[in-house]
Amino acid sequence: MSKIVPNYSFQQGMLHVHIFSCKQPDAPIIYLHDLNGYGRQILPLLKDYPSFHLVTITIPDNLWSHILAPWNTPVGFPEYVACTGGAPEYLKTFVEEIIPHAESLLPPVSWRGIAGYSLAGLFSIYAMCETELFDRVASACGSLWFPDFENWFTRHLPLRLPKSVYFSSSRNEYYTTNPFLAPNQKTTESIQHWLDRHHVQTTFVLNPGNHYQDAIPRTAAAVGWILENPRG
């Protein structure tokens, strides 16, 4: 398989931004936060979907649990879910610097989407509530267990309703008895139901296995769904 090479790249601090552009005029653009550069690997899985520009923002391991987290997790959270809240500061950089720079290199786009897996899926929902930029949102196995996120959502509802939002989870994490992760199910259902009541098209996919299985095809499925929905 040939190597997938970006059309444009630039660095924003410690983040590497890669732009994979398409030839179709007035195409949509999807912003995908990824870890270790896996984002480009979704492209072969989406070759039969509508054309789009993909912008991957690659986050190094040591920043993943910082810049995507809305606030600090409480003292006592185990290391595997401990986060420090860098998302508010990063969102400003994302909106004011990364997005304008990326889109200055491309023709006008028809709409913007944001997608991510795990904490990046959480950040996608967070960004939906804090900006008016995104028409479609994908939270693939989003870390919606994040402490107090359900209550935060009810106080910080989307500034502008998106047209569609994709949710997914793995079966093991959705039905977990782990006390730190157990809020995932309730929070996901609460946010989805709120969006449904406000006439936003949503879907929820429950994948087999655990959180770490099949991240690339699950991410591709999330992006594919928002590319096609709403239809027309």
Side-chain angles (χ1 to χ4, degrees), residues 1-172:
M1 184 170 57
S2 59
K3 185 176 181 181
I4 303 168
V5 179
N7 302 89
Y8 308 98
S9 297
F10 62 91
Q11 192 157 342
Q12 182 73 44
M14 295 181 67
L15 309 180
H16 296 276
V17 182
H18 300 295
I19 302 170
F20 304 86
S21 61
C22 70
K23 295 180 180 179
Q24 178 180 312
D26 199 34
I29 188 167
I30 305 291
Y31 290 89
L32 173 66
H33 291 87
D34 71 14
L35 183 66
N36 299 325
Y38 76 84
R40 69 184 68 191
Q41 297 180 54
I42 72 170
L43 288 170
L45 303 178
L46 295 169
K47 58 184 176 62
D48 296 326
Y49 284 79
S51 296
F52 68 104
H53 307 293
L54 176 68
V55 179
T56 64
I57 303 100
T58 296
I59 303 169
D61 284 325
N62 63 331
L63 288 180
W64 182 259
S65 297
H66 174 62
I67 69 172
L68 298 176
W71 49 84
N72 295 353
T73 48
V75 174
F77 263 57
E79 184 176 349
Y80 68 91
V81 287
C83 299
T84 54
E89 181 180 357
Y90 168 63
L91 183 63
K92 189 173 188 293
T93 299
F94 179 44
V95 168
E96 295 180 3
E97 299 184 43
I98 293 176
I99 291 177
H101 189 171
E103 294 184 15
S104 73
L105 301 170
L106 297 169
V109 300
S110 56
W111 53 263
R112 293 185 192 90
I114 183 171
Y117 193 89
S118 193
L119 278 173
L122 171 76
F123 180 80
S124 296
I125 301 298
Y126 174 77
M128 175 184 77
C129 294
E130 292 289 334
T131 78
E132 298 181 349
L133 293 177
F134 301 108
D135 294 283
R136 309 183 192 191
V137 179
S139 178
C141 287
S143 299
L144 301 185
W145 53 262
F146 202 81
D148 205 39
F149 194 73
E150 181 185 359
N151 289 332
W152 179 89
F153 180 84
T154 63
R155 301 192 304 270
H156 299 79
L157 299 172
L159 293 177
R160 179 173 68 89
L161 287 174
K163 291 185 177 180
S164 59
V165 182
Y166 176 100
F167 298 92
S168 71
S169 182
S170 67
R171 183 172 296 277
N172 289 6

